[in-house]
Amino acid sequence: EHARDARLAAGTIRSLRAIVAGTAVEDGELRDAASFARLHRQHLQFEETMVMPLSRRLLTPAERADLASEMVRRRDVIGG
C-alpha cells in the first residue's frame, strides 16, 4: 500500500501543481488523484481501527514512541 500510495501521491502533486500553473490535466490524472484520496482514507482508517489499538496492547509506551519517531523520520526523508 505504501508504494502504491507514494506513486499516486506523486502524480497527485504533479497534477495539482499543473492546475495551479494553469495547465490542463488529463482525466486519468484526476482519477489517480481521486483514487489516492479514497485509498489513503481506507489505509488510515485501517491503521486507526486495527493497528493502533493492537499497538497499545502489545507495545510499551517507549516502544510506541520509538516507532512514532521512526515513522516521522521516514516521512521527512520521503517528503524531502
Side-chain angles (χ1 to χ4, degrees):
E1 289 178 350
H2 288 206
R4 178 207 60 216
D5 288 352
R7 180 184 58 77
L8 289 171
T12 299
I13 291 167
R14 280 191 305 275
S15 296
L16 291 172
R17 286 183 175 151
I19 291 167
V20 168
T23 304
V25 295
E26 301 291 323
D27 286 345
E29 294 171 298
L30 297 175
R31 280 192 297 275
D32 284 351
S35 292
F36 170 72
R38 178 178 49 80
L39 293 167
H40 198 63
R41 261 193 313 271
Q42 289 173 352
H43 178 87
L44 292 174
Q45 181 180 9
F46 174 76
E47 286 183 348
E48 288 297 321
T49 61
M50 302 298 285
V51 175
M52 291 305 295
L54 186 61
S55 75
R56 287 184 192 102
R57 283 200 327 256
L58 299 177
L59 301 176
T60 67
E63 290 169 328
R64 288 196 314 270
D66 288 345
L67 181 59
S69 295
E70 174 61 19
M71 291 171 72
V72 167
R73 188 194 65 75
R74 279 185 294 168
R75 282 177 177 77
D76 286 346
V77 169
I78 292 169

